[in-house]
Amino acid sequence: MKTYRYCDLGKNEVKKLVQRNVDPANEIRGIVEDVITKVKEHGDSALLDFALKFDKVELDKLYLDKEELETIASAVTAEQKAALEIAYNNIYKFHAAQVKAEDKVETMPGVTCWREMRPIEKVGLYIPGGSAVLPSTFLMLGIPARIAGCHEIVVCSPPQKNGKVNAFIAYVSLLLGIDRIYLAGGAQAIAAMAYGTETIAKVDKIFGPGNQFVTKAKTIIQSTTTTAIDMPAGPSEVLVIADETCNPAYVAADLLAQAEHGIDSQAILVCTSDKIAEEVLAEADKQVPVLPRAEIVKQALENSYIVITNTLDEAMQFSNAYAPEHLILATANWQLITANIINAGSVFLGNLTPESAGDYASGTNHTLPTSAYSRAYSGVSVDSFVKKITFQHITPDGIKNIGPSVEILAELEGLHAHKNAVSVRMKE
């Protein structure tokens, strides 16, 4: 991992350093646009062709039904079911607490305003299945969709070599009461949910993380269709802030946990001394060889780096510039700097709070903004699956109270029909 000193970095150097997943030659965009066009024009036929091309599997149909999912899920052991159910319960508890009715507000006598939630009717969930199968992502998306009350939930996940899905994905579908999973992955799955095919319904909003191709597809369809997206959630990343109170072995483990997601993941260490950097790298050298995904980890670390700062405040300045998906404060002094966090998707406090806990079972959602989008986006929540509609009601006294102001404002804007809509009521 390359090492930089924060004091030596100018503003432009920091800006360049925190950039990631850029596509300067539009190579990824070109590939994705071609995929989207083929799905849009050829529907199911294109999806079957892409399954053969990208997933190396010849499908005779594009979905698994409830009976097939039950058969596949039977391979899950009792111990594995218990772990998935603990995760389900914790995620459900955290997200159910987000559903709260808002108070009605009387803005002036006789004028009452309020908001009510309504579920998004049709949502699409993309569950990645490339180098790692992620039933945890299915829980993170399916649970808030169910709590919100979405009427139709379309689930797409890439087929495995046997033309099925992983047993854990199948079991989660049963936990969530979802009776069908569509066998489509990558940009083609996003296109299918955005435009609809003979088999897959068009949805109103698409959720789920993915690689750079999936993320590019989501950003393209958001600007070219009526289908919305949760956020740009691409290759995963972590930034760890560590001081002399950290445990280097824990920090190394956290960096490697992130790096094993994929070769395009980033694991950034921001620490307050050379000694910490050296100790963490030494621990990483011990841990990497025993990891089954060691080669992926090594390639991801080549795209990662270390920044050495003089203080925790400087470390936080760099973190806010990077705007990480995951932020770990590996310090006993985390209470001193949490108020300075401006940009982060999800934060893990102290030496006993690994990002893995949030990835799986603490309860918070792990579908988070990446590539500095945490400057403007939040992670997935129940709010992501609902619309909040405003209401207002005006009484006879209310129209008398508010009417004259509305008449004046409409007139100064030159909108006399707006004024008249109030005036005719005032005459009554």
Side-chain angles (χ1 to χ4, degrees), residues 12 18 27 40 86 100 107 111 128 172 186 245 330 337 344 379 385 402:
N12 288 335
V18 301
E27 293 177 8
K40 187 178 178 181
I86 286 173
K100 295 177 182 177
T107 55
V111 180
V172 170
T245 65
I337 56 174
F385 291 88
I402 200 171

Side-chain angles (χ1 to χ4, degrees), residues 211-408:
N211 60 22
Q212 293 187 62
F213 295 91
V214 169
T215 303
K216 184 65 70 174
K218 287 171 69 178
T219 57
I220 291 172
I221 65 99
Q222 181 176 230
S223 62
T224 57
T225 73
T226 57
T227 300
I229 66 169
D230 51 354
M231 74 193 85
S236 198
E237 62 202 31
V238 69
L239 186 147
V240 182
I241 292 178
D243 68 3
E244 67 281 355
T245 65
C246 78
N247 183 315
Y250 296 174
V251 173
D254 289 334
L255 294 170
L256 301 182
Q258 194 61 48
E260 77 170 348
H261 271 294
I263 61 173
D264 51 3
S265 294
Q266 268 200 333
I268 310 301
L269 173 60
V270 184
C271 57
T272 54
S273 74
D274 293 81
K275 181 174 181 290
I276 297 168
E278 292 165 5
E279 290 175 345
V280 169
L281 288 175
E283 287 292 342
D285 286 341
K286 295 177 188 176
Q287 295 179 30
V288 168
V290 299
L291 296 174
R293 295 166 67 86
E295 289 308 310
I296 292 174
V297 169
K298 290 175 184 177
Q299 291 182 68
L301 291 181
E302 288 177 7
N303 299 320
S304 304
Y305 54 84
I306 298 170
V307 176
I308 297 174
T309 65
N310 292 320
T311 64
L312 285 176
D313 286 338
E314 284 185 352
M316 187 55 67
Q317 288 172 22
F318 183 84
S319 176
N320 284 327
Y322 185 89
E325 176 190 17
H326 305 100
L327 171 60
I328 298 175
L329 303 187
T331 169
N333 304 310
W334 55 266
Q335 297 97 330
L336 301 177
I337 56 174
T338 51
N340 297 329
I341 299 170
I342 299 172
N343 303 318
S346 191
V347 184
F348 303 81
L349 304 172
N351 290 312
L352 294 179
T353 313
E355 183 229 311
S356 304
D359 268 355
Y360 291 109
S362 67
T364 60
N365 206 291
H366 79 200
T367 308
L368 302 164
T370 65
S371 302
Y373 281 106
S374 66
R375 293 172 186 164
Y377 286 85
S378 305
V380 163
S381 68
V382 174
D383 281 352
S384 308
F385 291 88
V386 301
K387 303 160 291 183
K388 295 191 176 181
I389 303 171
T390 57
F391 293 80
Q392 47 259 297
H393 177 256
I394 298 176
T395 66
D397 285 340
I399 197 69
K400 291 177 185 175
N401 290 329
I402 200 171
S405 296
V406 175
E407 287 179 314
I408 292 169

